[in-house]
Amino acid sequence: MAYSRPIFFGFLACTLCLISGTSSAQLTHNFYSESCPQVFGVVTSVVWAAIAREKRMGASLLRLHFHDCFVNGCDGSVLLDDTATFRGEKTAAPNNNSARGFEVIDTIKLNLEEVCPGVVSCADILAITALKSVVALGGPKWTVKLGRRDSTTANFSAANGGAIPPPTSSLTTLINTFQAVGLSGHEMVALAGGHTIGKARCTSFRAHVYNDSNIHPLFATLRQSNCPPSSGSGDENLAPLDIVTPARFNTHYYKNLIRKKGLLHSDQQFYSGGSTDPQVELYATNPVSFGMDFAAAMVKMGDIRPLTGADGEIRRNCRMVNW
Ligand code: HEM
Ligand SMILES: *[C@@H]1O[C@H](CO)[C@@H](O)[C@H](O)[C@H]1NC(C)=O
Ligand SMILES: *[C@@H]1O[C@H](CO)[C@@H](O)[C@H](O)[C@H]1NC(C)=O
Ligand SMILES: *[C@@H]1O[C@H](CO)[C@@H](O)[C@H](O)[C@H]1NC(C)=O
């Protein structure tokens, strides 16, 4: 039987976790190897097609996994639409008019429901999608852990209230926000390398390019030219997070920080005379070191409070709870 192994190992893991007193089973590398061996092929082909249409989509998909994991763990909560009984996370400040790629996740889910109905969670789809997006744009690989289950609710107030740090954050706030989900300052600086791809809106970088002093003056002028100073006008105008190679996953993000060309206030915090400067310098000159640290930190981020065993559910449609 296709699904007997995950259930057996889930049972075994839960017997062990009862003995050790923890409540959740472990994620595993081969969770779907019997129940849905097609999972990687399906995700990869949809992700590659989406990135072929628009390179930025790889960035948007990576960010969805981050925003999922930081709010009540990696449980697919970011994908839920609003309902009569709860408010979803999509209109929370970090996501409103910003989080994107939901249609790509829908397509993956639709294709997976055809080949292995009711088997692959939306939370796992996000984790695999993040990996395949990074690889498609030239970044490192990691062995993704699987077996997450999906939440039956979302948490607007957590998503809105600082679980995901705003771009105005100080280094101390950033460190504390990552610490709150069990990630170290070192892991944070590696994960921030995600900003080697993708774009931000004027509203996210306006204050930095007009009012901060730790910014290259010509870079500030360039970014001001497409971001009017008063809020309301041009809020949605986009600029690349990495000015050099916006659609290649590499270490230019860190090189930019050394030249004071970080787009967000929060980006430049990692190279402004504080404790993280040496790590930025290391990654700027050592792509192998960055790749290894980023990969390891992605696995760790993917391990934030997953639902496992009999908790949660496998959603049939990532946008809504089963009924
Ligand atoms: C360190 C704390 C972080 C802060 C303060 C932060 C903040 C932001 C902001 C403000 C944007 C632009 C949103 C917009 O204007 O629409 C953004 C975009 C992005 N973030 Fe982060 N972020 C952080 C960490 C991360 C991490 C850990 C990842 C993934 C590993 C990540 C991946 C991305 C990507 C790929 C984009 C571009 C998305 C797109 O083009 O659609 N960020 N981030
Ligand atoms: C989200 O954005 C829309 C469109 O700009 C806006 O009307 C709405 O008030 C925003 N929602 C929240 C919760 O800020
Ligand atoms: C939502 O998140 C807040 C923390 O911001 C927490 O106190 C609350 O228990 C969470 N609610 C649910 C339903 O998980
Ligand atoms: C810059 O700072 C001044 C003084 O605090 C403030 O009035 C102005 O709104 C700020 N401008 C931007 C674009 O943040």
Side-chain angles (χ1 to χ4, degrees):
M1 256 193 285
Y3 48 81
S4 64
R5 258 161 77 109
I7 289 176
F8 173 71
F9 284 112
F11 172 76
L12 186 68
C14 241
T15 309
L16 294 173
C17 74
L18 284 176
I19 292 165
S20 70
T22 55
S23 62
S24 73
Q26 299 288 308
L27 304 180
T28 55
H29 298 316
N30 58 356
F31 191 80
Y32 298 111
S33 60
E34 306 278 327
S35 58
C36 193
Q38 304 95 321
V39 65
F40 288 104
V42 168
V43 175
T44 304
S45 66
V46 176
V47 166
W48 279 71
I51 291 175
R53 276 194 301 275
E54 185 206 20
K55 289 213 165 148
R56 184 189 176 197
M57 191 50 77
S60 306
L61 293 169
L62 169 62
R63 187 168 182 239
L64 280 186
H65 182 46
F66 162 52
H67 284 203
D68 184 32
C69 292
F70 269 56
V71 179
N72 288 16
C74 312
D75 61 357
S77 60
V78 71
L79 302 173
L80 290 169
D81 289 337
D82 294 351
T83 70
T85 52
F86 64 80
R87 184 171 186 182
E89 296 163 14
K90 290 179 179 177
T91 58
N95 295 330
N96 199 25
N97 303 314
S98 181
R100 57 201 293 283
F102 298 109
E103 316 73 28
V104 178
I105 303 299
D106 289 340
T107 303
I108 293 170
K109 183 62 174 171
L110 207 67
N111 291 355
L112 283 174
E113 287 299 294
E114 262 171 42
V115 290
C116 353
V119 171
V120 182
S121 69
C122 299
D124 279 348
I125 292 174
L126 287 175
I128 304 170
T129 301
L131 163 67
K132 295 303 174 185
S133 296
V134 168
V135 170
L137 296 175
K141 298 194 225 309
W142 56 93
T143 312
V144 68
K145 288 165 72 176
L146 301 169
R148 300 168 191 80
R149 291 168 63 84
D150 298 323
S151 69
T152 52
T153 189
N155 196 330
F156 173 84
S157 55
N160 202 44
I164 301 163
T168 49
S169 303
S170 66
L171 183 57
T172 305
T173 299
L174 293 165
I175 290 172
N176 291 341
T177 311
F178 278 68
Q179 203 83 258
V181 293
L183 295 169
S184 68
H186 196 268
E187 287 161 338
M188 171 183 69
V189 173
L191 287 170
H195 287 184
T196 177
I197 52 175
K199 296 177 184 183
R201 295 162 303 151
C202 164
T203 187
S204 300
F205 61 79
R206 176 181 280 126
H208 180 53
V209 303
Y210 281 100
N211 272 352
D212 281 350
S213 53
N214 58 347
I215 185 168
H216 190 292
L218 289 176
F219 176 69
T221 307
L222 176 70
R223 289 295 166 248
Q224 287 168 9
S225 69
N226 194 34
C227 181
S230 51
S231 67
S233 58
D235 282 2
E236 311 295 316
N237 295 356
L238 296 171
L241 284 158
D242 170 359
I243 185 176
V244 184
T245 53
R248 288 300 294 170
F249 199 99
N250 55 29
T251 57
H252 276 294
Y253 169 76
Y254 299 102
K255 294 180 202 264
N256 297 336
L257 296 184
I258 292 172
R259 295 171 193 143
K260 296 190 179 171
K261 292 181 182 179
L263 183 62
L264 307 177
H265 173 83
S266 50
D267 290 325
Q268 200 57 57
Q269 285 295 291
F270 300 131
Y271 198 80
S272 282
S275 59
T276 55
D277 285 14
Q279 198 183 345
V280 170
E281 284 168 4
L282 170 69
Y283 292 159
T285 53
N286 193 332
V288 173
S289 175
F290 165 63
M292 291 193 325
D293 289 358
F294 182 82
M298 284 299 293
V299 173
K300 184 103 178 273
M301 185 176 87
D303 241 334
I304 299 171
R305 289 169 50 201
L307 296 170
T308 55
D311 293 341
E313 62 178 21
I314 305 298
R315 273 182 229 145
R316 283 188 290 267
N317 175 337
C318 293
R319 292 174 183 266
M320 52 188 105
V321 171
N322 296 340
W323 38 270

